[in-house]
């Protein structure tokens, strides 16, 4: 019986070769990925040398500009002891303890370990940090500033506190996968000044792009949670709040100028008012920051907007009388809002910390109603023993339907951008425990 000799082009041999090649590529790719994903632990230190007071004070100023405490302090918790939940589209991440506690904090971290975490997103043990920690921005920090921040946090009182476990689904709970995310979206590197700009602008750019990581909230993100560079500062979100666009996409009626931004960044601007939600936390952190730093931030941010600034007067127009929802909203507004908001505003001698018209507020003119709903639900209150805007919370008084009617009325009267889509759905999602209609007040004229 003749035995057929296998040729190089025989199908079985060719398939085996393809399979072998594919397997080899898979193995080599896996080894390469592991090499990229793996980072060695940095040896712990027994103690941290005491830093000079001026170095600690410099770090404190930087921490305020980076509003570090706002993320690393849980509600009612000790400063910098972590535990604050940070909601993301992929699950909840809890901020870590960055006090110098040796067991649960970073008390055994060297400056090298701290620097690696800030600039590469790798902790002392070699684990990848989730990019909810904005190392993608902090990578631009100078050596001196990283050292000053290290000196400051290591001078804090140690607090023994373990952050709750993150709640991320499989496989997102596997930290080595972040190495792949970094390959796609992260580029390490220091901030490079623009030689064509002045010192103040470059300082503001450094603060905004690196330390204050403004784009982390004010930029759009892709489906993997990375900032879209081509859509920087076109609006984003933070902690369930909408973050307005900074630049040509801004919906603010009064133009943003360097002067108005400088006032706003320390708490209040007569044309734009103040901030609530995550931005309110940022402004609170700015207390005690040098005026030159705030002016630099304002200089850079103002350069993002078109110049000369567009002249858009705040809108205030009559509403259709044949729309029952808007009529109900007008009645609620008259009973709950008009006393303060029809006073002419602080600039005209009216209620302090009140703008002349709600048409000046981006929460009313912007494309997303969440900020307005948050404020209507939770109100606004200044810090204890501090002056600032104040507004009652209506979350326990108005029904979800009443808040929907009120928001629709404000939108129709003070904006020409058209009704918000799915407004009722958004209100009910943010007010799941609103009172039922039968227990509501008579603000809308119903028995």
């Amino acid at each position: 019986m003749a035995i057929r000799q296998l040729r190089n082009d025989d199908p079985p041999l060719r398939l085996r070769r393809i399979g072998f090649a594919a397997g080899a590529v898979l193995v080599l790719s896996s080894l390469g990925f592991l090499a990229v994903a793996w980072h060695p632990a940095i040896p712990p230190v027994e103690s941290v040398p005491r830093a000079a007071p001026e170095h600690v004070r410099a770090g404190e100023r930087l921490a305020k500009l980076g509003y570090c405490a706002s993320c690393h302090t849980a509600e009612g918790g000790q400063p910098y002891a972590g535990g604050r939940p940070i909601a993301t589209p992929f699950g909840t991440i809890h901020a870590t303890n960055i006090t110098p506690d040796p067991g649960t904090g970073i008390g055994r971290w060297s400056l090298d370990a701290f620097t690696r975490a800030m600039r590469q997103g790798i902790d002392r043990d070699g684990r990848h940090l989730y990019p909810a920690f904005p190392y993608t921005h902090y990578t631009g920090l100078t050596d001196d500033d990283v050292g000053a921040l290290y000196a400051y946090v290591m001078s804090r009182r140690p607090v023994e506190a373990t952050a709750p476990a993150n709640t991320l689904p499989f496989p997102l709970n596997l930290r080595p996968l972040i190495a792949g995310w970094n390959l796609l979206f992260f580029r390490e590197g220091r901030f490079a000044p623009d030689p064509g700009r002045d010192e103040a602008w470059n300082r503001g750019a450094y603060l905004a792009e690196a330390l204050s990581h403004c784009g982390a909230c004010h930029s759009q993100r892709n489906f993997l949670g990375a900032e879209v560079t081509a859509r920087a500062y076109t609006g984003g979100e933070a902690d369930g709040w909408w973050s307005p666009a900074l630049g040509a996409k801004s919906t603010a009626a009064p133009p943003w100028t360097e002067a108005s931004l400088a006032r706003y960044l320390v708490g209040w601007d007569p044309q734009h008012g103040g901030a609530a939600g995550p931005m309110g936390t940022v402004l609170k952190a700015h207390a005690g920051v040098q005026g030159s730093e705030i002016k630099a931030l304002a200089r850079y941010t103002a350069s993002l907007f078109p110049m000369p600034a567009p002249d858009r007067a705040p809108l205030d127009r009559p509403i259709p009388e044949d729309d029952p929802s808007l009529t109900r909203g007008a009645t609620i507004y008259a009973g709950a809002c008009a006393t303060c908001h029809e006073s002419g505003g602080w600039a005209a001698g009216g209620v302090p910390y009140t703008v002349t018209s709600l048409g000046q507020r981006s929460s009313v003119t912007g494309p997303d109603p969440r900020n307005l709903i948050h404020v209507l639900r939770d109100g606004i209150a200044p810090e204890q023993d501090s002056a600032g805007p104040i507004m009652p919370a209506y979350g326990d008084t108005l029904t979800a339907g009443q808040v929907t009617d009120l928001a629709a009325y404000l939108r129709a009267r003070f904006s020409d951008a058209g009704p918000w889509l799915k407004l009722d759905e958004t209100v009910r999602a943010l007010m799941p425990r609103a009172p039922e209609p039968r227990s509501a007040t008579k603000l809308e004229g119903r028995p």
Side-chain angles (χ1 to χ4, degrees):
M1 181 175 64
I3 299 177
R4 182 174 65 88
Q5 183 178 3
L6 288 175
R7 299 195 306 264
N8 288 340
D9 58 350
D10 284 340
L13 180 59
R14 189 164 60 250
L15 289 174
R16 286 197 299 271
R17 286 177 172 174
I18 293 173
F20 177 79
V25 170
L26 180 61
V27 170
L28 291 174
S29 298
S30 299
L31 291 174
F33 178 79
L34 290 174
V36 171
W38 180 83
H39 293 269
I42 294 178
V45 296
E46 293 301 322
S47 62
V48 178
R50 184 180 296 274
E54 60 271 19
H55 207 201
V56 173
R57 287 194 294 270
E60 181 180 16
R61 292 192 294 270
L62 294 168
K64 288 181 176 180
L65 283 162
Y67 40 96
C68 307
S70 65
C71 281
H72 286 279
T73 305
E75 186 174 355
Q78 296 296 315
Y80 298 103
R84 181 179 181 271
I86 300 173
T88 76
F90 313 103
T92 300
I93 296 170
H94 290 87
T96 54
N97 181 349
I98 58 170
T99 72
D101 179 70
T104 62
I106 61 172
R108 306 193 72 189
W109 286 37
S110 63
L111 175 58
D112 286 343
F114 184 81
T115 301
R116 184 171 74 171
M118 294 290 286
R119 287 181 170 168
Q120 299 178 36
I122 309 294
D123 73 5
R124 189 191 69 78
D125 293 324
R127 298 186 311 161
H128 286 268
L129 299 173
Y130 288 104
F133 174 69
Y135 60 87
T136 53
H137 288 267
Y138 293 156
T139 188
L141 294 174
T142 65
D143 292 342
D144 287 346
D145 284 354
V146 172
L149 285 166
Y150 177 74
Y152 174 67
V153 296
M154 287 303 185
S155 72
R156 302 301 86 202
R157 183 174 68 85
V159 178
E160 185 178 354
T162 302
N166 299 326
T167 55
L168 296 172
F170 178 84
L172 300 179
N173 59 343
L174 301 178
R175 289 180 182 265
L177 291 181
I178 301 173
W181 190 95
N182 286 338
L183 285 173
L184 291 172
F185 306 117
F186 174 51
R187 298 295 178 267
E188 185 182 356
R190 306 295 85 76
F191 171 80
D194 184 343
R197 297 283 191 166
D198 62 28
E199 183 179 353
W201 186 94
N202 275 301
R203 178 61 179 174
Y206 171 76
L207 294 175
E209 300 295 342
L211 183 61
S212 297
H213 54 280
C214 304
C217 292
H218 288 279
S219 298
Q220 296 185 39
R221 294 179 179 268
N222 63 22
F223 73 102
L224 290 176
E227 293 176 43
V228 181
T229 305
R231 297 179 181 176
Y233 296 113
T234 57
E237 63 176 79
D239 286 348
W241 290 65
W242 167 67
S243 300
L246 305 178
K249 298 289 186 181
S250 173
T251 60
W256 281 107
T257 64
E258 188 174 328
S260 63
L261 282 162
R263 290 189 293 264
Y264 178 83
L265 288 171
V266 293
W268 178 265
D269 173 61
Q271 293 297 311
H272 298 88
M279 192 62 195
T281 304
V282 172
L283 302 193
K284 187 191 307 180
H286 284 169
V289 171
Q290 290 177 313
S292 60
E293 301 282 55
I294 298 299
K295 289 179 180 178
L297 262 175
R299 169 77 62 86
Y300 173 71
T301 308
S303 72
L304 302 175
F305 290 85
M307 293 295 169
D311 185 13
R312 295 195 297 256
L315 184 69
D316 189 346
R317 59 182 182 177
I319 62 165
E321 297 181 358
D322 58 350
D323 188 320
S325 172
L326 297 182
T327 300
R328 293 194 300 269
T331 304
I332 298 170
Y333 176 83
C337 314
T339 299
C340 293
H341 290 291
E342 297 294 322
S343 69
W346 197 10
V351 177
Y353 293 103
T354 304
V355 293
T356 304
S357 168
L358 287 176
Q360 297 170 237
R361 300 308 305 259
S362 295
S363 57
V364 175
T365 62
D368 194 309
R370 286 178 294 171
N371 294 6
L372 176 62
I373 298 166
H374 279 299
V375 170
L376 291 173
R377 184 191 68 188
D378 300 329
I380 301 173
E383 291 292 297
Q384 186 174 358
D385 300 324
S386 299
I390 186 168
M391 174 178 156
Y394 293 113
D396 295 329
T397 305
L398 298 180
T399 67
Q402 288 173 316
V403 169
T404 300
D405 289 341
L406 176 56
Y409 166 78
L410 295 175
R411 179 72 165 180
R413 177 177 168 182
F414 296 109
S415 173
D416 59 0
W420 281 306
L421 299 177
K422 300 181 180 179
L423 174 61
D424 182 67
E425 181 180 317
T426 305
V427 171
R428 294 185 186 280
L430 294 178
M431 298 183 64
R433 292 178 293 278
E436 295 297 322
R438 62 177 177 275
S439 62
T441 75
K442 297 182 180 180
L443 286 174
E444 65 174 27
R446 293 177 178 175

